[in-house]
Amino acid sequence: MAKRTLDAFFKPSTTTPKRPKTEPIESHSAIPAPKLNNIPIEDTKPPNQHPSYPIPIAQLPSHIEVGLEHATPATAPREINNQPHLDLLHFQPYIPRATANQLFKFLRRELPFYRVQYTARRGDIEMQINTPRWTTVFGVDETSTFIQEQGNNPNSLVLVETKTKTPIPKTKYQCTPRPIPACLDLLRKQVEAANATANADTKNPGYNFCLVNYYASGEDSIAFHSDDERFLGPEPNIASLSLGGERDFLMKHKPFVSGGIVNRTAGGCVPDTAHAISGLGGTSATRESCTVSSGTSNSNTVSSPGSRPAATVPLQQIKMSLGSGDMVVMRGATQSNWLHSIPKRKGKAGEATRGRINITFRRAVVPGGTDNYYLYNVGSGGMYRWDEVAREMVLRDGSAG
């Protein structure tokens, strides 16, 4: 041990004190960059861009894409065909709940939406209709198709005649058709494959339209109606997928007239006094109590083969509870003979306060279908986007584009 003199002991030290050792700061331990507008940063491919889109539309994050490709359908469908003209497939669920909820948030955040207003005439009275939900639509009828102008570049799609592959006349449509973006087109292909596996409709050549409705809460609804427009062709196949909040899905048969023929223009005849009975599987139903004798205008009768007179058939109103990821495929004669609706769901908590997205895939066969869908699902008003901070749809511009 070295000796130190007394002077050296009291003399200030000239050496630099040693600092405690510290580990180098790695890049992954740094504070993450803040998220812009509270929107999650996703590992997506470049967004889809097209002249007809009002905004670039993001592609699916990899975890949602993988979930759709490898986990659908999550359950085998249940066939519901125990009533006249009824032909349904019920997937409960079609998409696993966790993936469905992620897809709901993604689509609500990334798609452009519209709150369409239009006028309708009832007799001599002209009424202003405010659509009680947000809507958007993509696709074009089967007389036209989008083809890639530049190799495999999905952003170079041009609209041409299906048969000749020549550019469409400028006067063919009153609207501007939009190609189905990749985030919805993958889902379209998956649903078509599920239809084929379930032998849902061997005559269905596939879907060419995707309609998306956003219901902000249980206060948003859609009245009884049927998707039996002529531009959908005979016996249309329509797949309806539910994401987000749980809602009731009601169906009732259109009223019959004399001879067992369905009155396609009249509304249903389910009265307030209808009473509950057991439904099929997990559904509940109410029995029609407005059946009258055969031969009168609202008789709920259907002609049975080889029987005279027509046999009375007890009809049931169907009520399904659609959770996130559930899907109903309506096929065959269903649309021509049945009405369906999403009623309001009252309440200040729980599912009644949750938003819901409904996606329907369908096929239009003539240009009139294209004009109809864009008129009533895009219109000429402003575009809305979901705002994560305000937690509501916010008007972003003054025109639909």
Side-chain angles (χ1 to χ4, degrees):
M1 181 176 178
K3 294 182 179 180
R4 300 181 65 188
T5 63
L6 190 61
D7 291 338
F9 181 83
F10 289 101
K11 186 177 181 179
S13 174
T14 58
T15 60
T16 303
K18 294 182 179 181
R19 295 180 180 178
K21 291 184 178 181
T22 58
E23 296 295 329
I25 298 177
E26 298 181 4
S27 58
H28 63 75
S29 64
I31 298 175
K35 298 174 182 178
L36 299 178
N37 198 26
N38 289 338
I39 297 177
I41 299 174
E42 305 281 10
D43 55 334
T44 60
K45 303 173 185 177
N48 288 155
Q49 301 187 59
H50 191 267
S52 64
Y53 292 167
I55 56 171
I57 299 178
Q59 297 198 52
L60 289 171
S62 59
H63 64 282
I64 298 179
E65 185 175 5
V66 170
L68 293 178
E69 289 180 337
H70 300 286
T72 58
T75 60
R78 178 167 56 92
E79 292 192 45
I80 304 176
N81 52 15
N82 64 330
Q83 297 197 62
H85 315 119
L86 184 65
D87 193 0
L88 308 176
L89 286 178
H90 186 198
F91 294 81
Q92 195 176 21
Y94 171 74
I95 301 175
R97 302 292 187 208
T99 302
N101 289 333
Q102 292 169 347
L103 180 61
F104 163 76
K105 293 178 181 178
F106 172 84
L107 294 177
R108 182 177 64 176
R109 186 179 71 238
E110 300 296 342
L111 293 180
F113 285 94
Y114 307 88
R115 197 88 185 225
V116 177
Q117 297 179 337
Y118 60 93
T119 57
R121 182 172 292 278
R122 305 286 172 83
D124 295 332
I125 302 176
E126 191 173 83
M127 304 174 61
Q128 179 74 24
I129 307 297
N130 298 317
T131 305
R133 59 195 173 278
W134 280 267
T135 60
T136 195
V137 63
F138 301 92
V140 68
D141 65 274
E142 67 180 29
T143 68
S144 301
T145 188
F146 287 97
I147 61 173
Q148 291 182 357
E149 194 174 38
Q150 301 174 4
N152 294 323
N153 181 5
N155 295 331
S156 65
L157 294 172
V158 294
L159 190 60
V160 298
E161 297 284 353
T162 300
K163 291 183 178 180
T164 64
K165 298 299 184 291
T166 57
I168 64 168
K170 294 182 178 180
T171 57
K172 182 172 184 177
Y173 297 109
Q174 300 176 21
C175 60
T176 303
R178 304 172 177 179
I180 301 176
C183 60
L184 293 171
D185 204 43
L186 172 62
L187 193 57
R188 175 189 64 83
K189 295 174 183 176
Q190 296 297 107
V191 172
E192 286 181 356
N195 267 319
T197 301
N199 194 26
D201 190 347
T202 56
K203 297 179 293 184
N204 181 29
Y207 304 116
N208 55 24
F209 263 99
C210 177
L211 280 66
V212 184
N213 294 329
Y214 172 65
Y215 300 80
S217 70
E219 289 296 317
D220 290 348
S221 62
I222 185 167
F224 272 109
H225 68 285
S226 59
D227 300 310
D228 61 349
E229 296 88 352
R230 293 181 183 274
F231 58 71
L232 292 174
E235 299 192 344
N237 178 304
I238 297 178
S240 178
L241 175 66
S242 188
L243 303 172
E246 182 180 290
R247 295 291 187 272
D248 292 332
F249 181 73
L250 306 182
M251 295 187 71
K252 63 182 180 182
H253 201 288
K254 296 180 182 180
F256 289 98
V257 295
S258 179
I261 305 300
V262 173
N263 182 352
R264 298 194 177 192
T265 60
C269 57
V270 179
D272 295 334
T273 56
H275 58 280
I277 63 172
S278 297
L280 180 64
T283 65
S284 62
T286 55
R287 184 181 300 277
E288 295 270 21
S289 59
C290 55
T291 302
V292 293
S293 60
S294 177
T296 56
S297 61
N298 283 330
S299 176
N300 285 336
T301 62
V302 60
S303 297
S304 300
S307 65
R308 292 292 186 272
T312 299
V313 178
L315 297 178
Q316 299 174 1
Q317 178 171 316
I318 298 171
K319 179 180 178 181
M320 299 180 187
S321 182
L322 297 181
S324 189
D326 290 357
M327 183 170 72
V328 176
V329 179
M330 296 170 279
R331 53 188 183 169
T334 302
Q335 293 296 338
S336 298
N337 296 277
W338 286 78
L339 304 166
H340 56 275
S341 78
I342 298 289
K344 292 185 178 183
R345 174 170 285 206
K346 300 294 184 179
K348 297 182 179 179
E351 295 297 321
T353 64
R354 294 185 62 197
R356 172 182 177 266
I357 282 179
N358 171 248
I359 302 173
T360 58
F361 294 103
R362 52 190 76 188
R363 185 175 188 84
V365 298
V366 294
T370 299
D371 284 332
N372 178 282
Y373 281 147
Y374 283 93
L375 174 63
Y376 293 109
N377 293 278
V378 174
S380 58
M383 178 191 68
Y384 288 79
R385 298 290 308 280
W386 176 255
D387 190 299
E388 289 284 353
V389 176
R391 304 298 298 169
E392 64 181 4
M393 290 289 176
V394 176
L395 184 64
R396 293 302 189 191
D397 69 11
S399 63

